[in-house]
Every structure is written in structure tokens, then in C-alpha cells.
Amino acid sequence: HRLCAATRGLAHDSDDLSQRTETQAAALQQTAATMDELSSTVRNNSDNAQQARQLASSATDVAAQGGAVVSQV
């Protein structure tokens, strides 16, 4: 009886461990997907910041040119 009970207990514990392992694997997959999305967002933000920097530089150049034209008048 003790051996059967121990075997059942071991099987139950093994099932619990298997379930927890599957849950952890699913959580890790979700975390990886979220990290991919975050990386994509960071890349997009970086690209947008570069474009904004270029536009600001162009606006500065145009303003300087406008100022030079006004000062010649």
C-alpha cells in the first residue's frame, strides 16, 4: 500500500511540475513576444527622432537664410 501511495504521490507531483513548466514556457514566450514589440517600438522611435532632427536642422537653415535676406533689405 505504501509503495502504491508513494507512486501515486510521485505521479501527482510530476504532473504538477509538468503543468508549472508549461505555464512558465508560455509566460516566457509571451515575454519574448513583448520584448520583440518593444524593440520594434524603440527602433521606430529612433528613426522618428532622426527624422525630427533632420527637419529641425533644415528649419534652422531656412530661418538663417531668411534672416540673411531680411538683413540685406
Side-chain angles (χ1 to χ4, degrees):
H1 286 289
R2 288 184 184 178
L3 182 57
C4 288
T7 301
R8 281 193 300 273
L10 185 57
H12 180 267
D13 291 346
S14 179
D15 288 342
D16 281 350
L17 178 59
S18 176
Q19 182 61 40
R20 289 192 309 269
T21 301
E22 288 177 18
T23 300
Q24 285 290 348
L28 285 173
Q29 286 177 341
Q30 182 62 42
T31 299
T34 301
M35 291 300 293
D36 284 344
E37 289 179 25
L38 180 60
S39 293
S40 177
T41 299
V42 169
R43 277 192 300 276
N44 287 338
N45 286 345
S46 176
D47 292 344
N48 290 339
Q50 178 66 24
Q51 290 175 359
R53 190 174 2 210
Q54 290 171 348
L55 290 172
S57 178
S58 295
T60 299
D61 292 345
V62 168
Q65 291 171 3
V69 168
V70 168
S71 67
Q72 292 175 358
V73 174

